Structures are given as structure tokens and as C-alpha cells.
Amino acid sequence: MMPGVRVRRRRAAVLAAGVLILGIGSEAALAQYHYVYRGQPVPLALRADLLASFAADGDEAATVLRNFGAAPAEADWAGPRGWSMFTALSSKARPEDVEALVAAAADMPAVEFASPVFIDRLGGPLVVTPDILVAFDPTVPPDERRRLLDRVVGGHLLDENWARMEGVYRVRSLSRNGFDVLREANALSIEPGVRFAEPDMIFSGRASLICTPNDSLYPSLWGLNQASDVDMDAPEAWQITRGSAAIRVVVIDVGVQQDHPDMNQAPGADFTGSGGGGGPVNQCDNHGTAVAGCVSATIDNALGVVGLAPLCLSASARCFNSNLSCNGSWSGQASWTVAALDWAQSSGARVTNNSNYYGFTSSAIEQKYNDTRNAGIVHFASAGNDSSATIGYPASLPTVNAIAALSQSGARASFSNWGTGLDFSAPGVGIWSTDRTGSDGYTASDYASVQGTSFASPYSAAVAALLLSYNPGLSAPQVESTMAAGCTDLGTAGYDTDFGWGMVNAYATLLQFASPPAPPGPFSLMLPEEAAVAVADRPVFMWSASAGAVEYSLTVDDNANFGSVDYSAAGIAGTSHQPPQALEQNRTYYWRVTAVNCIGQAGATPASGSFSTWLDCNDNDVPDAVDISGGFSQDCNKNGQPDECDLVAAFRASSADMTPINRNVSQTFSYAARPAVASVSLAFSAFADLNFASESFDVRINGVSVGTAFGPAGQDCPLTPSQETLMVPAATYNALITTGGPTDLTVVASTGVDETCAPASWVSVIITYVGVATSADENSNQTPDECENPFALGDMNCDGNIDVLDINPFILALSDPIAYAAQYPTCDINNGDINNDGNVDVLDINPFVALLVG
């Protein structure tokens, strides 16, 4: 069996035992640790540079460990009381060195417990504590449970039926070493009758809200956030507050569906005498549900939309009966609106919204709006959809904030009213919001795209709700003046009757009282180390934590200016990442990481790093050079790769990005070629001026054209590179290549290809095919034929075997070469030159004996 094969089998065996192989830095680092979850080993990746300790007197322990050579680390780590973290070794230290360090620290009187630090699923620190959580099957008697705990752990029983869970125990190990506790827990987990056993780990976590909620229609909610930043800056505002359930927004309308699955609301009330309890009564009562969704549709629940003040509560005050023509008209009484405003006041609401305009003006309604505003309630109403310079009623009341509608560009919507008394503007075109569920509502869906000042108004009301959530002591005039100061000014500078104070902005409004959240803090790249060589082709990238970061993005390229990205990943929650696909082997790569939160982003220090991937032709996760130097694989023909790779018939050659490429500049990639036995695949990627069918690349092998790439398949400087594969018949390919030597593949651009891309245009190619192996192996012994000795060494009787029957012929060859030649005429006496020194003599005896005994 070849040594390289043994390496692969040994690797498979340790993987089965729960060991994970990670390519980190300049060598394959072995993570030899795991815990057991649901009966399966979960690999633990070791942070070799960190040590965690527990001590009641943390200062004394820190002093002792500092004298021991450890330095305080992870300043932002909020471990439990008494726990500290230290840096003591290099990130590339061997696991056995880390075990020795933890054992030495655990022996110090000032240190009560020492633990290694692993990497949890979010990339944060994972620390072993002395406590083990154990669950037994009901069939195991209590006495047997205690005997088992005493035998495996020998610790202190802290709790039986812990947390009121039958058969679950919490036991504290007598060991002061985290490695020991991990082994004890794993040993318990495989005992008969044990359902689970695990250390009570200290792990990391994060809030569930990220800058981009997972609500499915969120990307369509331009009013909350869009690339042009003509929006209300909702993600930034949510870093300060998402609202409070103590702040209630009363929606005066035709009713809001009370059991909508995507709405955060308090129970409503009906003031029409219809008994609907605040919900819709007839098939046309659709408007209110869409209005309320703009305020408090639930956030981050993987459903539909999200409101601007998602943790505030909407409360429906049904004041109108929709006419059965379903054209948006309704009937109502002044007393109903007055009663609704009074209910808002008595229920503690701080904001009302009335996305309607009345055909009647009422002194009673005006009085109640005035009284409730003086009581601290802020009122909002839609300006109207008549394309008129007259504000509708009740928005025209001085105690009610009148709201105009805006389009995505920030222009006033064509339908929106404006004029004297206009207070604010807000998004009101193409607004996705909640719809009544099932067959009711505007659509058959639970959501609808709507437009009108009806939806600009609740967005403005939601800004007030967010502000009051942060500062509930504000009066109604203070809320209004703060919102005015936070508006994005539109039209004529300052207040105007076209936009009021401008477009409401939730974030800028909150900043009148709140300190701005900070962008991500500084951080640094860690692994792979700068200019590392022989890095795994699926490296684990690691970086330090950036304070305030919500997520990270990683970019990897073989170009230092990152003009042609080879791999990228966004939305990384932790501080490490391993690409799912392998990078190209034996290539230099550059990488960078960006920390992101809703306020901004920050790059690492240094801004980027570089590393070179290994050559691992036998795919055993060990660099070829290590295979050869360590004796795991032979290289009998001294060509720099293990012998087993010489016998492989699959070939791959990959160029770096060749730049520039245009009608004036061709590009050539040289590689060692072997004859092909089937068609050869030339897979091209390009970032170039290729947007016309007449714009293409002529592909040449050693100067002879083998076909054309792109043309109709090309694009003009695309965000994702253009891709096309050219297949070359084996006969054509074989006739053109230089076997075993440098073969040139040249790419020549047509006359229409101008270099118009920024950064510079480029092209790359990956050549794959089945070909003739570098070395033949006619006897199928997994050794290249050129490495075979022409003589069957030791087979002195030429029977095809090396055994005891060769002893007498060998002695005869040593004592009488002529007699040997006469007796064995088909054999070559040089079969006896076992030590390969050119002579058959007594010096071959010991090697011959060794050959016989294996």
C-alpha cells in the first residue's frame, strides 16, 4: 500500500471519531476536540492563543498569570463574574502545548479553574466550566445514577432533577482543568442509560435584529430604506429604538383586522354600533388594515412587511361604515370620531392617525382634537388625494399634522394635496403593507401594494411613536418641533407649502435626543497570516471582533486590487468563515474583511492580507511538499509531486486574471500540457467590453486558433463576470500542444473590444480534461514505470516471486557467476545487485535478507 493511501485512511478514521481537520495558516491544524450533541460528536475548533480562567479573586489570578507570561485579552468579552481571558501562546501553537499551558495554570493556587478557548458557531469564544449537565433515562435507578457520576466525574452533586427536569443532574467536577471536564462529559455521554452529558459551556450570542430584517417584502419597502437614501432611515433609527409597547397609536378608520398574523396591536373598539370590536365589518372595510401595517407590522418574523415603529402597538378605533361599492367612501357621525378620540385619551394612547378626509367640518371634533392634544396626544391625518392646493379635513385643523405623499424620487406624488397648513411629507407611492387575510381585502394575498396620502400619514405617526418610545416625557408640541428639526428638507429651503417641513426622518428625529450609534470599531485580520505559504485550499479565515459590528463581509481575489473577485461572502455573523468551495491550488490570493452595521462599515487593519495556497495533488489535506519531505509519499522521479499523482489522468490548469485585454493587447497563459483522450474544456471568465455579437475573443493554442469565446454570450463590464466554455476536440488539441513542455494559450480580442471597464478589463481560463498520465504504470503497482529498476531485484530464480527459493541461486551468483548464468540462462545476474551499487557481492547479502523478510 502506498504511504499516501495510509494517510487518507488515517484521516477518515479520526473524522469518524469526531475530529475536524482545518487548514489554518501554513499547515493543516488538527482540532482534536469535540462535545456530544444528540448522540453525535460536534467538532470543537481550538483557539490556541487564548486561555480562560476562573478565580474569586480575579486580580490576584490575573497577577499570577501575567507573571506566568499571559496577557489580558478579549477586552469586550463579558464573561460571567470571576471569569477572565488571557493571551499566552501563538495562534499557531500545537494542541499539546495548549493542554500543557492549561494544566500548568490549573495547578496555580490563585487560579480555581483553567479552560481552553474554542470557537463557537458565531465565531465567539466557547469556554468549558467545571459544571456538567447530565440527563439519565427513567429506567436508570437513582442509586445507579449517583454511582455512575461518582465513577466518571467524582465531583459534587449540585442539583438533582435540575430546573424541574426529571432525571437531569448538575454536577461539579473535582478537576480544575477544562480539558479534563470536557473528557469527563464525553465519557459520560456514551455510558448506557445516559441521554446527554455536556459541560455547562460559556458561549457567545447576539441580538436577533440585524440591519436587514428577514420580513420577505422588506426589500420592497423603499420608504424605510433604499439605495438612494431617499427614505426615512428606518434601519438606523432601529439601532436606537424599535418602539415600545407602552406607546399606542390609535388608527381611526374602517377597522383593522384584529387577528392579522403580521400585526403588533392592542385590542380595538367599535364606535359605529356595529359591534365589530375594532375589526372590519363588511367586505369593503379594507383601508384600516393597510394603514395600521405602516405603523406596527411585526419585524423580523419572516413574514411580509414591517412597520416603521414595529414594537409599538396599533389600536383600531372603527369610526366609519364603508359603502358597499368598495370605492373607499364611507359614512360616519361626528360623535363617533369624538368618542374614538376620547377612547384614545382614556386608554393612554400617545398618537392618533386618521388617514381620511371628511365631507363635514365639526366643532365637536375640533374641540376634542384640541383637548386631546393639550393632554399630550399627537395627531396626524392625510392631506388628501385631490392634486389640490387645499388640505382636507381634519388634517386642516391646527391641532392635527397634515401629511403629503412622496414618490421614490422624493418628489410630491401627483395625486397629493399640498398648501397652507401642510406639516410634513412621507412616502406614499408604491407602499407595501398588510392586507386582510384570505379572500377579504384588496387582494387574495395577505399583503397589498397601495398608494395615497393615507399611507404617508401613518408613517409620520410612526416617527412620533418612535420618538415617544425613546422620550415619553415630551409634549405634543415638542414632538412636532423635534420631527420638524429632523426632516429632510425638500423644495424651497426651510418650511414651504409644497412639502411642509420636509420628508419625515425617523433617525434624524431621534438624534435630537439620542447619541448617534457608532459605526463598527477597529479590528484586525488574523488568519491566514500575512504572506503565509502552503495554506489549505479551503482556508479558515479569522479576524478579531469589531465593536458594534452586526455582520461581516469577506472578499477573496487573486488580484491585489480586487478587480475580479474569486470568492465573496456577506452577512457573516461571527469572526471566522470557511468557503464551501476550494480555491485554486498553488496560487497567491488577497483577502479583506469589512465590518458592517446599520450606521456604516469599517475595514480591517491591515486593509487586506495575502497568502498562497498549497499544492495537494493527492487530496489528503497535506501539502505535497510535506507528503514528500515527511516520507508519506515518494517522489522517485523527483518532479516535485507525489508518485501517486503522476499516475492520475485528470488534468487541470488555471490561469490568473490576465489584464489588460482589449483589441490592442492580447494575453497568453503558459502551462504544462499532456495529450488528451477526450475533448478539452476551456472555461473562460471575462470582465470586458463584450456587449455586441461582433465583440469576441479568438482562442489560440501555440498560435493556432481553436475557436471563439463570447460574442453573443458576453456582456459589457458585468457585475458578475461573463462566462463561456469552449470545447476543443482531443485530436485538435493533441496536434497543437507541446507534450510535457510549456504550451501557450493565447486570447486575442476582436477589433470591437475596447477597454472601457473600470478597473481594467481581464480574462481568465480554467483548462480541464482527461489525458495521458504523466507517468505510466504498466504493472499496476502504483509506482511510475520510470522509477522501476529494470531488473527484478532479488528474484534470482526468475519465477516471479522473491522467497526462500531464491537463496541458493543468490549464493551461487555470489560464488560462481558463470555457473549461475549457465544454470539460470533467462535470468540476469544483476538481479542480485540489491544495494544498487553496480556490483553483485557480499555487500548485497544483508539487503537480500531484508528483502526476503519484508
Side-chain angles (χ1 to χ4, degrees):
M1 182 183 294
M2 291 294 293
V5 176
R6 284 199 295 272
V7 170
R8 286 195 291 272
R9 289 188 177 177
R10 183 164 62 249
R11 176 173 179 264
V14 295
L15 278 171
V19 177
L20 175 67
I21 291 181
L22 298 174
I24 300 179
S26 61
E27 61 185 8
L30 213 58
Q32 303 169 357
Y33 311 102
H34 70 274
Y35 77 102
V36 179
Y37 176 68
R38 293 184 176 179
Q40 297 298 317
V42 178
L44 295 173
L46 182 66
R47 274 290 301 267
D49 57 326
L50 294 180
L51 164 75
S53 72
F54 172 79
D57 189 339
D59 292 337
E60 180 184 359
T63 299
V64 170
L65 287 169
R66 190 177 292 110
N67 294 335
F68 184 62
E74 301 286 333
D76 64 336
W77 183 59
R81 183 186 299 273
W83 282 91
S84 303
M85 195 169 291
F86 299 88
T87 300
L89 297 175
S90 161
S91 61
K92 298 175 66 177
R94 299 176 304 171
E96 52 265 38
D97 294 333
V98 180
E99 293 213 25
L101 173 71
V102 171
D107 284 340
M108 298 176 182
V111 177
E112 298 177 39
F113 191 82
S115 172
V117 178
F118 300 103
I119 303 171
D120 70 12
R121 295 174 59 190
L122 298 179
L126 184 65
V127 177
V128 182
T129 72
D131 296 350
I132 301 175
L133 311 177
V134 190
F136 292 94
D137 288 332
T139 56
V140 181
D143 289 347
E144 180 58 30
R145 298 173 185 176
R146 296 189 188 93
R147 281 194 293 269
L148 181 59
L149 291 173
D150 187 60
R151 174 169 60 83
V152 179
V153 182
H156 304 291
L157 183 60
L158 301 178
D159 293 286
E160 185 174 356
N161 295 328
W162 174 60
R164 290 184 290 181
M165 293 187 289
E166 181 65 31
V168 179
Y169 291 68
R170 190 165 67 100
V171 60
R172 179 159 296 166
S173 172
L174 295 178
S175 175
R176 299 167 59 183
N177 184 322
F179 282 114
D180 291 342
V181 173
L182 180 61
R183 294 182 184 111
E184 290 170 353
N186 289 343
L188 272 174
S189 70
I190 61 175
E191 289 285 345
V194 173
R195 291 193 292 113
F196 66 78
E198 62 188 27
D200 187 9
M201 296 281 204
I202 302 170
F203 56 90
S204 71
R206 62 181 66 246
S208 61
L209 179 69
I210 59 174
C211 297
T212 304
N214 63 17
D215 305 82
S216 57
L217 290 173
Y218 177 77
S220 300
L221 303 181
W222 68 267
L224 303 186
N225 188 49
Q226 66 171 329
S228 67
D229 205 32
V230 180
D231 54 53
M232 296 179 291
D233 286 336
E236 294 87 346
W238 291 335
Q239 298 306 295
I240 298 173
T241 180
R242 289 175 279 168
S244 166
I247 301 301
R248 185 173 299 190
V249 179
V250 169
V251 177
I252 299 173
D253 218 291
V254 295
V256 178
Q257 181 179 335
Q258 296 294 282
D259 60 351
H260 196 286
D262 198 14
M263 188 86 73
N264 199 9
Q265 59 181 323
D270 180 88
F271 299 96
T272 69
S274 299
V281 173
N282 66 47
Q283 70 269 26
C284 300
D285 286 344
N286 303 323
H287 187 258
T289 301
V291 168
C294 294
V295 176
S296 65
T298 309
I299 194 169
D300 228 16
N301 63 343
L303 289 177
V305 297
V306 56
L308 180 57
L311 297 190
C312 293
L313 297 178
S314 294
S316 172
R318 186 174 184 274
C319 289
F320 321 119
N321 291 319
S322 295
N323 293 331
L324 298 183
S325 59
C326 292
N327 62 358
S329 61
W330 46 257
S331 62
Q333 293 179 225
S335 60
W336 295 352
T337 297
V338 171
L341 291 169
D342 187 60
W343 175 70
Q345 182 178 357
S346 64
S347 65
R350 295 300 311 276
V351 182
T352 73
N353 181 81
N354 194 337
S355 289
N356 300 273
Y357 45 112
Y358 296 8
F360 172 77
T361 57
S362 163
S363 297
I365 291 175
E366 183 173 354
Q367 177 68 47
K368 194 59 182 178
Y369 264 120
N370 183 69
D371 291 349
T372 50
R373 182 174 183 271
N374 289 337
I377 300 179
V378 193
H379 301 297
F380 296 85
S382 54
N385 300 333
D386 300 320
S387 301
S388 167
T390 301
I391 304 298
Y393 182 90
S396 58
L397 291 173
T399 53
V400 178
N401 292 284
I403 313 301
L406 299 173
S407 67
Q408 281 181 270
S409 66
R412 189 178 66 243
S414 60
F415 54 76
S416 178
N417 291 2
W418 73 96
T420 301
L422 182 67
D423 292 284
F424 304 110
S425 300
V429 175
I431 305 300
W432 279 94
S433 190
T434 46
D435 192 18
R436 292 169 67 183
T437 57
S439 59
D440 295 323
Y442 294 120
T443 70
S445 170
D446 297 345
Y447 304 92
S449 178
V450 291
Q451 63 182 20
T453 55
S454 286
F455 309 102
S457 185
Y459 271 152
S460 300
V463 173
L466 286 177
L467 178 59
L468 288 166
S469 296
Y470 186 80
N471 193 340
L474 296 176
S475 66
Q478 288 173 325
V479 170
E480 292 161 353
S481 62
T482 303
M483 288 180 60
C487 278
T488 301
D489 195 15
L490 300 172
T492 304
Y495 177 85
D496 58 70
T497 56
D498 287 321
F499 299 96
W501 290 106
M503 181 178 186
V504 293
N505 186 291
Y507 182 51
T509 297
L510 288 168
L511 287 184
Q512 306 300 306
F513 291 95
S515 298
F523 67 106
S524 57
L525 304 181
M526 296 172 59
L527 291 176
E529 294 180 343
E530 175 57 21
V533 297
V535 174
D537 52 10
R538 280 192 63 222
V540 173
F541 295 95
M542 294 180 64
W543 52 92
S544 63
S546 168
V550 173
E551 61 189 30
Y552 301 88
S553 61
L554 167 71
T555 306
V556 183
D557 197 354
D558 61 3
N559 193 313
N561 65 11
F562 296 91
S564 53
V565 174
D566 287 85
Y567 176 77
S568 64
I572 302 171
T575 55
S576 65
H577 180 76
Q578 186 177 31
Q581 299 90 23
L583 301 172
E584 290 293 325
Q585 294 188 7
N586 197 31
R587 178 175 291 187
T588 297
Y589 283 98
Y590 304 87
W591 67 293
R592 65 187 180 191
V593 175
T594 301
V596 180
N597 67 14
C598 303
I599 307 305
Q601 58 186 38
T605 302
S608 63
S610 66
F611 62 94
S612 298
T613 50
W614 60 21
L615 270 173
D616 181 24
C617 65
N618 55 10
D619 194 30
N620 65 349
D621 283 347
V622 177
D624 293 344
V626 175
D627 275 340
I628 295 170
S629 64
F632 300 113
S633 294
Q634 301 302 311
D635 182 21
C636 64
N637 51 14
K638 308 302 180 187
N639 66 348
Q641 69 178 19
D643 291 344
E644 61 264 31
C645 299
D646 293 335
L647 306 177
V648 173
F651 290 90
R652 179 184 176 92
S654 180
S655 77
D657 299 327
M658 299 178 284
T659 182
I661 180 75
N662 56 61
R663 63 181 176 179
N664 299 313
V665 183
S666 60
Q667 288 290 348
T668 298
F669 167 55
S670 297
Y671 65 102
R674 301 293 302 172
V677 299
S679 293
V680 178
S681 167
L682 308 179
F684 289 94
S685 293
F687 177 70
D689 172 30
L690 293 167
N691 53 315
F692 293 107
S694 60
E695 296 172 341
S696 61
F697 293 151
D698 183 36
V699 182
R700 303 172 185 177
I701 294 179
N702 279 344
V704 178
S705 177
V706 294
T708 300
F710 301 111
Q715 300 178 56
D716 186 16
C717 307
L719 294 176
T720 301
S722 299
Q723 309 220 356
E724 185 170 13
T725 299
L726 177 64
M727 302 300 296
V728 180
T732 303
Y733 183 81
N734 294 342
L736 297 176
I737 65 171
T738 304
T739 302
T743 293
D744 291 338
L745 185 148
T746 302
V747 182
V748 181
S750 64
T751 56
V753 179
D754 295 309
E755 186 177 350
T756 59
C757 302
S761 302
W762 55 266
V763 63
S764 66
V765 62
I766 299 174
I767 307 166
T768 53
Y769 60 100
V770 175
V772 177
T774 303
S775 300
D777 183 22
E778 292 187 2
N779 59 4
S780 301
N781 68 348
Q782 299 300 303
T783 300
D785 288 348
E786 67 264 28
C787 302
E788 301 278 10
N789 192 300
F791 310 110
L793 296 178
D795 185 11
M796 302 306 295
N797 61 0
C798 300
D799 66 352
N801 299 305
I802 301 170
D803 51 29
V804 294
L805 298 178
D806 295 297
I807 295 176
N808 288 336
F810 177 66
I811 295 172
L812 181 61
L814 291 179
S815 61
D816 191 345
I818 296 176
Y820 173 83
Q823 188 168 345
Y824 300 96
T826 61
C827 293
D828 191 322
I829 194 172
N830 285 316
N831 288 10
D833 184 14
I834 312 300
N835 64 359
N836 201 27
D837 65 355
N839 298 301
V840 179
D841 52 28
V842 294
L843 298 178
D844 294 301
I845 294 175
N846 286 338
F848 178 70
V849 173
L851 192 64
L852 289 179
V853 299

